[in-house]
Amino acid sequence: MTKVFKKNICVDFDGVLNNYSGWKGEDDLGEPLQNVEDFLKELSENFCIYIFTTRSKDKVLDWLVNYGLAQYVFEITNVKIPAVVYIDDRALYFDGNYETILNKVNNFKTHWELKKQKEKVE
């Protein structure tokens, strides 16, 4: 019998798993984003999921348990572990071009910041 090892994947907590719109304190972890369970379930079929966050590990675990999501997660960490990919609402992809990445940095907004901006216009 051969053992199958899954590759690691790091998923940020705030803004990726929960409805995040800026820091409101350590106890405000927000509600899960729509379809987050389907997302985690599908990822967990092929990857070992690490939740990457600076929040309290215990609070995030309680949140995951409360929403029935803990079963898909291997570990919660604040350490950048070796992974195939990192999913984060504050990440930029570096394609080897410094001019391009500087432009992206200077104009960066998270999806939830863009949503707030759009709501103000409407």
Side-chain angles (χ1 to χ4, degrees), residues 14-111:
D14 284 321
V16 177
L17 300 183
N18 68 352
N19 188 1
Y20 183 79
S21 60
W23 181 255
K24 295 183 179 98
E26 65 182 44
D27 292 326
D28 184 359
L29 275 65
E31 300 291 319
L33 287 173
Q34 187 175 358
N35 301 319
V36 71
E37 183 172 10
D38 294 336
F39 169 70
L40 290 174
K41 181 179 181 182
E42 189 167 333
L43 274 182
S44 71
E45 291 173 7
N46 297 305
F47 297 96
C48 187
I49 300 173
Y50 286 79
I51 302 301
F52 185 71
T53 185
T54 58
R55 288 190 181 266
S56 159
K57 182 177 181 176
D58 292 336
K59 289 181 190 248
V60 172
L61 179 58
D62 288 345
W63 185 91
L64 290 166
V65 168
N66 185 48
Y67 290 106
L69 303 171
Q71 63 188 323
Y72 306 113
V73 175
F74 180 75
E75 182 67 63
I76 301 163
T77 184
N78 64 354
V79 176
K80 186 177 180 183
I81 61 150
V84 172
V85 71
Y86 302 86
I87 301 172
D88 194 323
D89 64 322
R90 293 187 176 270
L92 294 172
Y93 174 73
F94 180 62
D95 65 0
N97 183 310
Y98 290 119
E99 186 177 332
T100 301
I101 198 68
L102 284 171
N103 186 45
K104 288 179 183 180
V105 167
N106 290 327
N107 295 295
F108 182 78
K109 293 213 182 324
T110 62
H111 69 89

